[in-house]
Amino acid sequence: MDSIFTSFLLSITTTTTTVFYAIVVAFVSFVFINKRRRSPCKSSSPSKRILLGSMGWPFIGETLDFIACGYTDRPQSFMDKRCLLYGKVFKSHLFGSPTIVSTDAEVSKIILQSDANSFVPSYPKSLTELMGESSILRINGSLHRRIHGLIGSFFKSPYLKAQVTCNMRKLLLQSMDTWKEDRPIYIQDETKNIAFQVLAKALIGLDPGEEMEFLKIQFQKFIAGLMSLPIKLPGTQLHRSLEAKKKMVKLVLQIIQDKKINGGSLSQNTMDVADVLLNNKSEKLTDELISDNMIDLMIPGEDSVPLLITLAIKYLFDCPKALHQLKEENLELKRRKKDLGDPLCWDDYLSLPFTQNVITETLRLGNIIMGVIRKAMKDVEIKGYLIPKGWCVLTHFRSVHLDDNHHESPLQFNPWRWQDRDMSSGSNTCFTPFGGGLRLCPGHDLSRLEASIFLHHFVTQFRWVAEDDTIINFPTVRMKNRMPIWVKREN
Ligand code: HEM
């Protein structure tokens, strides 16, 4: 998902050079326009709160300031400054659109829970071109609810969790077997490679091999276009990405055809998401819709889990007390299962409270998805604020996650803060790393499971030291040097 959001940011950033020249021409009109825009939103009723804020420069609004803050180690400073001046909900002009920014947990919750009559997701043109019209990320209304429900409940099912556990453990142990003590291991790369294969298996049942390698290569070409100018001419990045998508669709369509000929998998133990959509009786889904969606589902799934694991390892290295407790908890589980002679099942990995608290705290502090953007389909009033039709709303999760009114000492990695709190549902008002409402991330259970499996095998088998590395927050969250670590095998 962060790729999606990033592409939104970048596609606008790249247009800013052109826009710069327009600014010079528009400067004379600026004084007049800006003066008018700085005035509060007009409200049709006296009960509506006045939204304060600045619309910035013509065309680019406050985008450059937003980006500049994004590159610092406190990207939320853009919001913090404006919250002090205007309050927790303010207006701005970002990425070419008049935008209401919400750093208020309750306002954001209402926006997330609204249906498509009030708000729809808003993405940049290059991304919508690449996603296809019937992508789960683009569709709204009853078809969206149906597909989201089918995918969400399958991702939650014990069958898929068992399959993912088995697959992830196999790939992880294979990968760990190749780790050497005399050279660094790049955690970000290792986790990306494993998570992609786990995802491809869960979505279309693909096993490692030639087709997997082909899909990986095409997928990298495809996502490169998410951050491109929205021009489709031959030779452009967007064109190359669309070509890569065509090749992936062809491969997935072939897999779907084979499933149809061979009857697909009817056993829940070996089913994948494509089987679930193919076997769905209540709504006839075309092969094209299914194959498009299999690829579009890889967009939010591909990068986020590797980042979650990488950030957890970074925070743990910086907090030896938490690492020690995590290690003890996982070693205890390993000993217990060994004594019983049982293999570890998916629910064993998820059963360790401190490990789950480490993952929850990583999601809060890491803010892999800084927020989401919606577009108002009509004038909407929330807590007295008027959000005008056609405006975008940025619900900024990072501000809420780092607000000391909600989380004490918010910049500190403190997994103990989650003790005795059940966060398995994925979100509450002040903690929304997976969004909420109708578009709550269907992959949230899976993400926790994959992170738990990685952490278990990592801390019970290795001691390690990390090289100095820095978290970059813009345009996507990532480690500057891909998180190199030096390992020593213990068991
Ligand atoms: C740490 C990992 C992850 C994080 C932080 C994350 C975060 C999010 C967020 C915030 C949204 C809401 C977007 C919105 O409201 O517009 C979302 C949606 C989504 N996520 Fe995830 N995600 C993660 C992993 C995954 C995985 C592994 C998958 C598996 C394919 C996945 C699939 C999706 C899909 C399909 C949607 C769109 C749902 C819809 O629009 O109905 N995510 N994710």
Side-chain angles (χ1 to χ4, degrees):
M1 253 347 258
D2 60 330
S3 315
I4 298 174
F5 196 66
T6 304
S7 66
F8 179 84
L9 302 176
L10 276 186
S11 65
I12 304 299
T13 316
T14 42
T15 58
T16 51
T17 323
T18 329
V19 166
F20 178 75
Y21 296 101
I23 295 169
V24 180
V25 182
F27 187 72
V28 181
S29 58
F30 161 68
V31 178
F32 168 73
I33 296 169
N34 203 40
K35 192 169 168 236
R36 189 163 52 89
R37 283 178 173 170
R38 271 173 199 271
S39 64
C41 276
K42 283 210 171 82
S43 68
S44 52
S45 103
S47 71
K48 286 174 192 160
R49 281 197 220 178
I50 289 169
L51 267 168
L52 300 174
S54 163
M55 304 301 269
W57 293 80
F59 308 112
I60 53 170
E62 298 193 295
T63 309
L64 293 183
D65 200 11
F66 184 88
I67 291 169
C69 291
Y71 278 112
T72 67
D73 58 354
R74 284 185 65 100
Q76 69 277 17
S77 59
F78 176 90
M79 313 288 162
D80 290 350
K81 208 159 67 187
R82 284 157 184 82
C83 285
L84 282 174
L85 288 170
Y86 312 125
K88 284 195 159 193
V89 183
F90 58 88
K91 64 175 179 163
S92 180
H93 196 281
L94 295 171
F95 313 115
S97 213
T99 303
I100 305 285
V101 180
S102 166
T103 66
D104 180 308
E106 277 177 38
V107 171
S108 295
K109 182 181 176 184
I110 296 170
I111 292 164
L112 289 177
Q113 289 187 333
S114 305
D115 64 17
N117 292 321
S118 304
F119 294 105
V120 293
S122 173
Y123 296 116
K125 186 140 179 359
S126 59
L127 184 64
T128 42
E129 288 278 358
L130 283 169
M131 282 194 300
E133 272 169 23
S134 42
S135 164
I136 182 172
L137 303 169
R138 272 182 78 178
I139 51 175
N140 294 298
S142 63
L143 181 60
H144 170 259
R145 265 200 287 274
R146 186 89 200 111
I147 294 185
H148 188 280
L150 283 169
I151 294 172
S153 50
F154 181 59
F155 275 167
K156 272 198 175 64
S157 73
Y159 314 105
L160 184 78
K161 285 179 184 159
Q163 196 198 104
V164 164
T165 301
C166 186
N167 200 23
M168 168 106 189
R169 186 168 43 209
K170 193 169 94 196
L171 291 165
L172 178 60
L173 295 180
Q174 270 169 9
S175 165
M176 283 175 167
D177 271 352
T178 67
W179 291 8
K180 299 275 183 291
E181 295 184 359
D182 60 355
R183 54 173 182 251
I185 311 297
Y186 290 90
I187 289 293
Q188 200 167 285
D189 298 347
E190 293 286 321
T191 48
K192 257 192 166 193
N193 184 34
I194 296 167
F196 184 84
Q197 298 191 64
V198 171
L199 191 60
K201 175 80 179 167
L203 293 174
I204 50 175
L206 204 60
D207 285 311
E210 256 179 50
E211 286 182 331
M212 179 71 86
E213 290 312 307
F214 174 81
L215 193 69
K216 260 194 233 168
I217 293 169
Q218 298 307 323
F219 187 75
Q220 288 314 316
K221 290 186 187 167
F222 169 63
I223 52 167
L226 299 177
M227 303 191 184
S228 64
L229 281 174
I231 301 168
K232 266 197 280 187
L233 296 174
T236 60
Q237 179 56 59
L238 186 56
H239 189 265
R240 279 195 293 277
S241 295
L242 285 165
E243 291 299 302
K245 178 157 187 187
K246 270 189 214 154
K247 290 183 188 161
M248 288 192 289
V249 168
K250 198 170 154 200
L251 172 69
V252 179
L253 276 174
Q254 186 56 54
I255 291 172
I256 290 175
Q257 288 305 323
D258 292 348
K259 281 179 183 294
K260 281 182 160 175
I261 293 165
N262 304 324
S265 178
L266 297 174
S267 153
Q268 284 176 313
N269 296 328
T270 51
M271 255 191 184
D272 51 50
V273 178
D275 289 316
V276 171
L277 297 183
L278 275 170
N279 295 338
N280 157 56
K281 301 275 180 286
S282 58
E283 186 133 22
K284 185 83 196 96
L285 304 174
T286 63
D287 293 358
E288 285 69 27
L289 179 143
I290 297 175
S291 62
D292 258 353
N293 266 294
M294 291 308 96
I295 291 154
D296 293 344
L297 271 160
M298 289 176 195
I299 304 173
E302 187 254 352
D303 209 26
S304 46
V305 176
L307 261 167
L308 172 59
I309 298 170
T310 307
L311 288 175
I313 288 174
K314 159 84 180 144
Y315 295 142
L316 285 166
F317 185 71
D318 294 342
C319 181
K321 191 176 157 211
L323 175 60
H324 177 75
Q325 190 165 336
L326 180 93
K327 192 167 181 157
E328 284 305 303
E329 189 180 63
N330 278 274
L331 281 172
E332 212 281 311
L333 172 70
K334 191 175 174 179
R335 280 193 291 267
R336 189 161 22 100
K337 295 303 277 187
K338 200 172 168 196
D339 290 347
L340 292 169
D342 281 350
L344 281 168
C345 302
W346 65 266
D347 46 354
D348 295 318
Y349 288 108
L350 291 174
S351 69
L352 304 177
F354 189 72
T355 306
Q356 291 313 305
N357 292 343
V358 165
I359 294 171
T360 305
E361 181 66 349
T362 303
L363 287 162
R364 182 195 68 81
L365 190 57
N367 291 293
I368 296 166
I369 309 293
M370 66 152 122
V372 295
I373 297 186
R374 297 280 190 267
K375 189 172 187 168
M377 301 307 284
K378 59 180 182 190
D379 282 0
V380 185
E381 196 184 328
I382 299 175
K383 272 180 80 182
Y385 296 110
L386 174 73
I387 300 172
K389 180 178 175 181
W391 280 44
C392 283
V393 190
L394 166 59
T395 58
H396 199 242
F397 304 154
R398 181 189 289 276
S399 295
V400 178
H401 292 165
L402 301 183
D403 183 340
D404 55 9
N405 292 309
H406 302 311
H407 308 281
E408 207 184 312
S409 307
L411 296 176
Q412 230 172 57
F413 178 73
N414 175 8
W416 297 274
R417 73 172 80 236
W418 301 102
Q419 242 158 232
D420 307 322
R421 288 163 72 179
D422 178 17
M423 301 309 297
S424 56
S425 67
S427 73
N428 69 24
T429 309
C430 302
F431 177 72
T432 52
F434 295 108
L438 295 173
R439 291 188 179 268
L440 174 71
C441 173
H444 72 89
D445 272 5
L446 221 55
S447 309
R448 275 189 182 273
L449 177 59
E450 288 184 44
S452 310
I453 295 172
F454 190 98
L455 289 175
H456 176 82
H457 292 283
F458 183 57
V459 299
T460 57
Q461 287 190 52
F462 296 97
R463 264 188 299 138
W464 87 95
V465 283
E467 277 181 25
D468 248 3
D469 204 352
T470 319
I471 300 172
I472 308 276
N473 288 295
F474 193 85
T476 50
V477 177
R478 64 199 185 285
M479 299 306 295
K480 190 173 176 192
N481 300 323
R482 294 152 33 234
M483 186 76 201
I485 60 163
W486 294 80
V487 296
K488 197 156 183 57
R489 198 173 294 274
E490 278 190 324
N491 296 298

